């Protein structure tokens, strides 16, 4: 999987209201990747995304186009399609980093393809790319307590301690992205899937 360009999509919602919610773990993961390589995000209003570009050094450099859609979650595919088209990136070189209710916190899974499992960001990506055949780095957030609706749970403001833990999970998701583009899916799954 080397010598190529990948589009890494951090799924989340824009604006201060959603900044410290579980639903934004994808945003934090791509921000962490940008920070590692000294890159910053620039707003591209035409492509409806904040975009940063990094090159992973090595004998086979890999370029990552990191994006945070500036639409709300359920329209994320608009930005993904626009940026993918602009950079001529095929869906099989797209990696979505997103929150996953079916995994407990601190757990992470990497996979290729599949359904959207009720996740509106993935659903929108599938619609706009015309396929579900892209990579997913699924960051566990666990199920809501009691009878709390899932939507309320993923959009609830995190306590500082929980936010700190989630930032660690986001950084691990960044590690998984780097592993995926350098070492491939199977090696990455063996290393990170828990």
């Amino acid at each position: 999987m080397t010598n190529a360009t990948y589009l890494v999509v951090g799924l989340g919602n824009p604006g201060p209201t959603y900044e410290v919610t579980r639903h934004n773990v994808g945003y934090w993961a791509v921000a962490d990747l940008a920070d590692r390589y000294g890159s910053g995000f620039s707003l591209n209003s035409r492509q409806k995304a904040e975009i940063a570009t990094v090159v992973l050094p090595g004998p086979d450099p890999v370029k990552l186009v990191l994006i945070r859609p500036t639409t709300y979650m359920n329209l994320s595919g608009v930005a993904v399609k626009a940026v993918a088209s602009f950079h001529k990136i095929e869906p099989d070189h797209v990696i979505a980093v997103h929150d996953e209710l079916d995994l407990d916190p601190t757990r992470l899974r990497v996979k290729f393809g599949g359904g959207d499992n009720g996740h509106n960001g993935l659903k929108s990506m599938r619609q706009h790319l015309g396929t579900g055949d892209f990579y997913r780095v699924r960051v566990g957030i666990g199920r809501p307590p009691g009878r709390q609706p899932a939507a309320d749970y993923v959009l609830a403001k995190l306590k500082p301690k929980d936010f700190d833990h989630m930032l660690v999970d986001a950084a691990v998701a960044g590690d998984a992205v780097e592993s995926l583009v350098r070492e491939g899916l199977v090696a990455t799954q063996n290393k990170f899937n828990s």
Side-chain angles (χ1 to χ4, degrees), residues 10-194:
L11 289 175
N13 283 308
T17 307
Y18 301 102
E19 204 170 340
V20 286
T21 64
R22 290 173 182 86
H23 224 21
N24 272 30
V25 70
Y27 266 31
W28 312 332
V30 294
D32 185 84
L33 276 169
D35 286 347
R36 289 180 198 187
Y37 294 97
S39 183
F41 285 87
S42 300
L43 176 63
N44 184 318
S45 50
R46 179 174 286 173
Q47 294 176 359
K48 297 189 179 344
E50 294 176 332
I51 304 172
T53 304
V54 301
V55 177
L56 307 186
D60 294 312
V62 181
K63 181 177 172 186
L64 302 181
V65 178
L66 309 170
I67 73 164
R68 297 185 297 207
T70 55
T71 58
Y72 287 102
M73 183 70 84
N74 60 347
L75 294 173
S76 301
V78 174
V80 175
K81 175 72 173 161
V83 178
S85 297
F86 180 81
H87 289 277
K88 298 179 173 52
I89 299 171
E90 293 298 321
D92 67 355
H93 277 60
V94 173
I95 303 166
V97 184
H98 65 91
D99 58 311
E100 178 58 66
L101 287 163
D102 288 336
L103 292 173
D104 289 332
T106 75
R107 296 190 68 193
L108 185 135
R109 289 228 176 103
V110 182
K111 70 176 202 166
F112 181 77
D116 52 54
N117 204 18
H119 194 290
N120 288 331
L122 294 176
K123 186 177 183 180
S124 179
M125 284 181 64
R126 285 170 61 90
Q127 278 176 332
H128 286 87
L129 291 173
T131 179
D133 291 342
F134 51 85
Y135 292 94
R136 298 104 188 279
V137 175
R138 304 160 63 212
V139 183
I141 61 167
R143 285 264 164 207
R147 296 176 181 266
Q148 184 181 20
D152 293 349
Y153 175 71
V154 299
L155 295 176
K157 227 178 182 82
L158 288 163
K159 295 183 176 94
K161 181 183 64 143
D162 295 330
F163 180 55
D164 290 343
H165 289 299
M166 292 278 332
L167 286 177
V168 171
D169 294 348
V172 173
D175 295 340
V177 169
E178 287 202 46
S179 171
L180 183 59
V181 301
R182 287 191 181 287
E183 300 169 41
L185 180 60
V186 175
T188 301
Q189 288 174 324
N190 290 338
K191 196 185 296 183
F192 289 93
N193 283 15
S194 55

